[in-house]
Amino acid sequence: MGLNDSSPGAMRNGRGLTDQWAESVVVRPRTTERHITVHKRLVLGFALSIITLIIVTAVAVALSLRFDDCGGQDRSGGRGETGSRGSGGSGRLNGSRGERTGERGDEEVVQPWKNSRLPGSVRPRHYDLRLAVYMDNFTFSGEVSMELECVNATRFIVLHTDRLEVDRVSVTAESAGGRPANRPGGGVMRIHRHFPYPANQMYVVVLHRELKPMRVYRLNMSFDAAIEDELLGFFRSSYTLQREKRYLAVTQFSPIHARKAFPCFDEPIYKATFSLSLRHDQQYTSLSNMPVESSSPADEDGWVTNRFARTPRMSTYYLAWAVCNFTYRETQTSGGVTIRLYARPDAIASGAGDYALHITKRLLGFYEDYFKVQYSLPKLDLLAVPKHPYAAMENWGLSVFVEQKILLDAEVSSSSYQMELTMVVVHEICHQWFGDLVTPVWWEDVWLKEGFAHFFEYVGTDFLFPKWNMEKQRFLTDVLHEVMLLDGLSSSHPISQEVEQATDIDRVFDWIAYKKGAALIRMLANVMGQTLFQKGLNDYLLSHMYSNAARDDLWSKLTQAMHSEGRDIDIGEMMDRWTLQMGYPVVTISKNQSEQLPTHYITVTQEHFLYGEEVRNNVSLQWQVPLTVAVGNASTVCMESLLWINNRTETHKIGQMDDSTWLLGNINQTGYFRVNYDLQNWKLLIQQLHSNPQIISVGNRAGLIDDAFNLARAGYLPQGIPLQLIGYLPEETSFLPWHAASRALYQLDKLLDRTDDYRLFSDYVLKQVASRYHQIGWPTNGPGTEGNILKASYQTEELQRELIMLACSFGNKQCHRQAVAYISDWISSNKNRIPPNIRDIVYCTGVSLMDEDVWEFIWMKFHSTSAVSEKKILLEALTCSDNTFLLNRLLNLSLTSDLVPEQDVIDVIIHVGRNPQGRNLAWKYFRDKWDILNARYGEALFMNSKLIGGVTEFLNTERELNELKEFIQSSGVGAGPALPRALEIVEGNVRWHRLHRRHFYQWLRKPPSSTFG
């Protein structure tokens, strides 16, 4: 969108800004001469007054020019300066410090629009927003009328706009009844000037006189803008129905993009109510947060206007609307809430949305019962769109999902796909309470909503499918183990971190906020107990509903819940250590070796866990660690004890122990920390796993595997310990330990897959996998088994899938033959008989082993299928080829054509990089196309960090490290913390090769009877 000339003296209507400001300068008036004389004294006086006038005028002009250079603009003049888009700030509602001015000339000193946060001198109470949407040329026009309350006297109204062409602006004073004040001009306030300040995405209205505190005013603005093609603000998308391309337009306002669609106070704390009307061509349907209150019939142009009911108080980024020609299915809860799922007509007709609609109805009831707070709106729409920057967005009453996260085709979708879809829906429905109803005060505490929603993904899914056992099992591998990888880096950050600028806001939306937030909430729930935890959450929601809250508000309510049962624990004191410090501890437990103490004492130490051995110099970080400890031997495990570890080293009394007794810490992995032991205890635990693994719980078996591999990678343990530990896996019958091992082995695989001795490693893995793989076999796909994913044994199916994936990935010949046979049968019969749960493994294996014709066949199927889940795995399979020509072709097609959906481009590049044959290719392609990729995805949360991390995480040579350093030096601007994190990970990969690879391979060369460690 073009900007007008921003030069200080820009002219319109024949008048420059400098003239206007020159007029406001007070100068000494000239005295009328009654008698004209040539007296020397009078001539001198007259000359001095002329000189004084010239000097004062020059000073005034200079000040005016300086003010204009700072970004002012008279609406009758030219635009202010252009600047980078963005806004941010610290975490409190600002006051209007320094705004009360006695002289109008003080404006050039105050300039509240220069701050990154809104000044807080006025706040919105209600928005009346009217939009006309032109889908033929992708533009829209609007009028917004804002009811404002003045908090502190000010002449400035500062709010947000971005890329909007503001046309008319007016301000009126309102009486107590909300009508214009009874005074000449109907309460109209005289506007001195109004202008945009693009550097902070702000718009400024300067009044001739001050707004008065406790008074209500109305700000009216009209504007025009484009319906963008970049997935933020009010953007457009398209799909094909019966070979006809159709368009829709939808909003994505989180975190700071409502300002792209209408002028507003676009910070979370400025909650207000909204009344929206949408005018558009009658062939489209329009949706918003609330139901349609009234609708005008089509006019002579074939346009309709829908007026939506007034919303509750909410933040701007939860307002939403859409204009589309979708159809829907609906259901209703027992409480009368109408739930609709809107999607492409063909998707609705096929029933692809029925599953999500069904579970949403159950989830509303679950959350109402769990939180003891009713859902607040009369309806909830789920909108499935073809293109969206994120998996979903929890707009209140109108949640938007990308199609592949909500549409389910039971005939072709795997159980893992169904699980992922389920958890996305569970997450977004949770946000209707944590986020929509109670909103974090500021972005530094975004984990208050995202951490809770991520935690409840597992709790809510357990409600829907108890046999999946998500919170006690999959949470460990998919959340706890995952985020500890990131949080063990020195480039990590506290979960609550200061947010000052717009770029900082993007930074806080990462896996630390989501996954660490969820892990800490789970730890806290286990410390408190289920009943008190729910009581505290209920009090928190009831106290802050329709308002904002900070972490201390949550701690206060949870502490009150504890005290109500006589438990004297200060939750805030405990949790501040976990939320305001980065990282987590490694807790080392050892039997006390002192002769002065009996054998039932243990020594416990804590230190900050870091992967980089050379950066372990921060001895100041300590946590309040709720450590559960159990003692056991070959046949039994004794009752666990809860120990609070507050100091660096402590001694605690535990049950009676002897030389054959082992210690086990962090029972069921409810705590957010790693556990290490003395080498003798590791030996006893490994012996226990080999002789009778069932003595140790499935969660702790998975935890021991993950801790051992990561402690060894960080240098806390010898490299042989985790390898010897997984030697028990042939006896393991549960999915979770296999999954934990698979994740750890996958990391090692990417470190080693280009080394000369790689076969030593792959053969060792296959040796562990072989017996269980052959025993469990491949799934059958006979008549009646398709679409039966709800009824199948989830744990058995997932174990089978995990073993097949390990066998095929590491080169089991029988696994390869089976995959090739399935692909060959599909090609020859044109009937896909591959069981849905393993299709991704078979597709990838077939593409990697077979010729170019198979790649072309998969490419053709990718374009012809309409099932979104099938499209996803077909596209990923194309990245598995060993043919670099085909990989390069795919990379180029993904970025330069419409053949690959825009949100899938990043996944293509990442998956090519995970292929050993494509790693260099993807790395080079990423660097060559960085400017294009950054321009396209730079503003979308997660996108850049996901891309940077995915492409770089498996680089591990000195050459690749130097290339990364050069890239950061030349192109690192705008990537936030992702590049420093990538650099630390690659440095760690290179360091592991230098320090540990030789010892790792040495252990693998030893015979099985080799000594420990």
Side-chain angles (χ1 to χ4, degrees), residues 524-639:
L524 184 55
N526 276 278
V527 167
M528 294 182 67
Q530 187 67 35
T531 303
L532 292 181
F533 181 65
Q534 283 186 248
K535 176 179 170 57
L537 294 189
N538 171 254
D539 287 348
Y540 169 77
L541 290 171
L542 288 176
S543 298
H544 301 286
M545 60 197 306
Y546 306 112
S547 188
N548 301 81
R551 60 182 175 272
D552 286 344
D553 298 315
L554 176 65
W555 304 151
S556 173
K557 294 301 179 184
L558 295 178
T559 299
Q560 288 175 26
M562 294 290 276
H563 289 173
S564 71
E565 292 294 322
R567 295 178 62 185
D568 189 21
I569 295 178
D570 187 327
I571 298 296
E573 183 183 343
M574 167 196 168
M575 293 305 294
D576 278 350
R577 298 280 189 98
W578 296 96
T579 58
L580 302 180
Q581 295 181 156
M582 63 174 278
Y584 56 87
V586 51
V587 175
T588 302
I589 307 171
S590 55
K591 294 178 185 176
N592 200 293
Q593 303 300 314
S594 169
E595 293 182 3
Q596 285 77 32
L597 290 170
T599 55
H600 48 263
Y601 279 84
I602 59 170
T603 300
V604 182
T605 62
Q606 62 162 303
E607 66 172 294
H608 185 193
F609 176 91
L610 286 168
Y611 285 102
E613 296 168 53
E614 67 278 5
V615 295
R616 290 179 204 151
N617 52 10
N618 189 348
V619 296
S620 62
L621 295 187
Q622 291 184 40
W623 291 263
Q624 287 190 17
V625 182
L627 174 66
T628 46
V629 181
V631 295
N633 55 36
S635 56
T636 60
V637 180
C638 295
M639 184 72 73

Side-chain angles (χ1 to χ4, degrees), residues 661-681:
T661 305
W662 43 258
L663 295 161
L664 183 66
N666 197 13
I667 305 305
N668 296 321
Q669 287 217 290
T670 56
Y672 185 71
F673 47 88
R674 297 197 184 280
V675 182
N676 196 6
Y677 308 94
D678 59 80
L679 290 179
Q680 178 61 24
N681 197 75

Side-chain angles (χ1 to χ4, degrees), residues 117 181 468 729:
R117 292 287 303 279
W468 288 11
L729 283 175

Side-chain angles (χ1 to χ4, degrees), residues 714-762:
Y716 292 92
L717 278 180
Q719 297 302 303
I721 288 184
L723 293 171
Q724 189 161 2
L725 190 151
I726 64 167
Y728 95 95
L729 283 175
E731 308 305 317
E732 180 58 75
T733 58
S734 295
F735 159 73
L736 193 71
W738 274 106
H739 190 50
S742 176
R743 292 169 61 84
L745 292 169
Y746 180 71
Q747 295 288 326
L748 282 169
D749 181 58
K750 297 306 171 190
L751 277 177
L752 299 168
D753 60 11
R754 296 179 293 177
T755 61
D756 294 338
D757 292 326
Y758 175 72
R759 283 294 299 275
L760 277 173
F761 173 64
S762 62

Side-chain angles (χ1 to χ4, degrees), residues 195-208:
F195 58 90
Y197 186 67
N200 280 337
Q201 298 178 346
M202 290 180 182
Y203 201 90
V204 184
V205 180
V206 184
L207 300 166
H208 271 275

Side-chain angles (χ1 to χ4, degrees), residues 17 49 129 340 393 545 932 950:
L17 294 181
S49 66
L129 180 59
R340 289 179 174 176
M393 177 62 205
M545 60 197 306
I932 298 171

Side-chain angles (χ1 to χ4, degrees), residues 159-367:
L159 69 165
H160 289 110
T161 64
D162 184 19
R163 308 183 199 178
L164 301 178
E165 287 284 355
V166 175
D167 183 19
R168 293 184 303 277
V169 180
S170 67
V171 180
T172 57
E174 304 248 314
S175 65
R179 295 180 297 277
N182 185 18
R183 42 170 295 198
V188 174
M189 303 285 291
R190 189 176 166 205
I191 295 176
H192 187 57
R193 59 199 302 264
H194 57 95
F195 58 90
Y197 186 67
N200 280 337
Q201 298 178 346
M202 290 180 182
Y203 201 90
V204 184
V205 180
V206 184
L207 300 166
H208 271 275
R209 60 186 178 83
E210 285 187 335
L211 304 177
K212 303 301 182 186
M214 309 296 290
R215 293 281 300 275
V216 177
Y217 299 86
R218 186 165 297 278
L219 170 63
N220 301 297
M221 303 176 75
S222 60
F223 55 94
D224 301 285
I227 300 173
E228 301 284 0
D229 190 28
E230 62 171 32
L231 309 184
L232 297 171
F234 187 27
F235 70 92
R236 65 184 185 266
S237 183
S238 64
Y239 62 98
T240 302
L241 183 67
Q242 297 171 349
R243 299 188 178 180
E244 176 194 354
K245 192 170 189 178
R246 294 190 177 188
Y247 288 93
L248 65 141
V250 67
T251 58
Q252 170 56 42
F253 290 162
S254 177
I256 54 169
H257 304 296
R259 63 193 70 175
K260 289 182 169 67
F262 67 106
C264 57
F265 294 76
D266 201 13
E267 293 177 6
I269 201 165
Y270 293 105
K271 285 197 168 187
T273 55
F274 296 83
S275 296
L276 173 68
S277 68
L278 289 173
R279 184 172 180 268
H280 52 79
D281 192 296
Q282 64 180 341
Q283 69 172 297
Y284 291 98
T285 298
S286 54
L287 306 169
S288 188
N289 307 76
M290 298 295 285
V292 173
E293 191 172 58
S294 66
S295 185
S296 63
D299 57 23
E300 62 272 13
D301 295 328
W303 283 58
V304 297
T305 301
N306 285 331
R307 296 173 185 84
F308 297 89
R310 187 177 181 129
T311 71
R313 287 185 76 242
M314 64 184 195
S315 301
T316 48
Y317 72 92
Y318 283 132
L319 184 66
W321 63 81
V323 177
C324 59
N325 43 24
F326 284 175
T327 54
Y328 66 88
R329 295 264 179 101
E330 78 171 36
T331 186
Q332 199 166 51
T333 69
S334 58
V337 177
T338 300
I339 306 170
R340 289 179 174 176
L341 188 141
Y342 287 83
R344 291 178 282 111
D346 53 333
I348 292 296
S350 72
D354 292 355
Y355 172 74
L357 193 64
H358 167 72
I359 64 171
T360 298
K361 178 180 178 179
R362 295 183 61 200
L363 285 167
L364 280 182
F366 164 72
Y367 284 126

